[in-house]
Amino acid sequence: MTARFEMRDARQDDGAALARIYNHYIRETVITFEVEELGDAEMSARVTKIQAAGLPWLVAERDGAVRGFAYAGPFRERAAYAHTLETSVYLDLAARGSGLGTALFAELFARLADLDQGHSPHAPVHALMGVIALPNDASVALHERFGMKHVGTFPEVGRKFDRWIDVGYWQATLD
């Protein structure tokens, strides 16, 4: 955690702030493959689903405003994937380049490494996956800073803004 940001668990009343941050990426980038903006209630519902699974959804605040968030969710729905999670981090535009992404990932990775066996069917967490629309040098650098290794690229598997997009996969194991 940086001195400039307060890290905490997401709350239901964060839906509007989370939607504001995430909807920028939906509207303006290929970082997410979603194409329709999300409402506050949908973002709150997503937080509830992740937290109900015993997984962390973190937010970072500065000056009383949410400036970024990170969470881990199931990588795939099949039972054999239960110990593999996909990590995500999104920052407010004004927070990019501030070290907040690194701080959020550090807290997220620490929480996942310490996940209590009794609180989540995902414990113990074995593998973390980063799924990155390419090119995205900043996201690649962030994932690699945390020891994640590039394990493959699927060429032209997404289409947004009338162009084909490659998706890279980064992986780290915790045990």
Side-chain angles (χ1 to χ4, degrees):
M1 178 167 67
T2 67
R4 299 177 305 182
F5 297 97
E6 175 191 341
M7 206 80 59
R8 62 170 173 78
D9 292 317
R11 301 184 305 248
Q12 288 304 300
D13 63 352
D14 290 323
L18 300 175
R20 177 187 55 77
I21 291 168
Y22 188 57
N23 284 336
H24 162 77
Y25 293 95
I26 294 172
R27 279 190 316 272
E28 306 293 330
T29 78
V30 298
I31 288 172
T32 177
F33 282 5
E34 294 199 65
V35 296
E36 298 291 328
E37 290 188 38
L38 302 179
D40 306 354
E42 174 61 23
M43 288 303 292
S44 292
R46 290 182 182 195
V47 169
T48 297
K49 183 177 179 179
I50 293 295
Q51 291 175 337
L55 298 170
W57 187 307
L58 307 171
V59 300
E61 284 186 327
R62 183 176 63 204
D63 301 326
V66 174
R67 305 297 182 174
F69 63 92
Y71 64 94
F75 175 64
R76 298 274 191 260
E77 294 300 322
R78 305 286 191 268
Y81 290 114
H83 305 284
T84 299
L85 301 175
E86 182 177 339
T87 60
S88 295
V89 61
Y90 290 91
L91 303 179
D92 182 86
L93 292 178
R96 290 190 301 187
S98 67
L100 180 57
T102 299
L104 279 163
F105 250 31
E107 181 67 17
L108 182 66
F109 275 52
R111 296 247 194 131
L112 293 171
D114 291 339
L115 197 62
D116 183 83
Q117 184 77 19
H119 290 94
S120 175
H122 302 285
V125 176
H126 176 70
L128 298 177
M129 302 298 297
V131 181
I132 305 172
L134 300 173
N136 187 335
D137 294 342
S139 188
V140 167
L142 176 64
H143 285 77
E144 291 181 352
R145 188 173 301 124
F146 284 86
M148 298 183 90
K149 304 289 186 209
H150 182 246
V151 294
T153 296
F154 294 176
E156 299 183 359
V157 294
R159 186 164 177 83
K160 189 172 177 182
F161 303 138
D162 294 321
R163 67 181 177 111
W164 293 107
I165 303 152
D166 298 348
V167 176
Y169 288 80
W170 273 255
Q171 180 182 2
T173 53
L174 296 182
D175 53 8

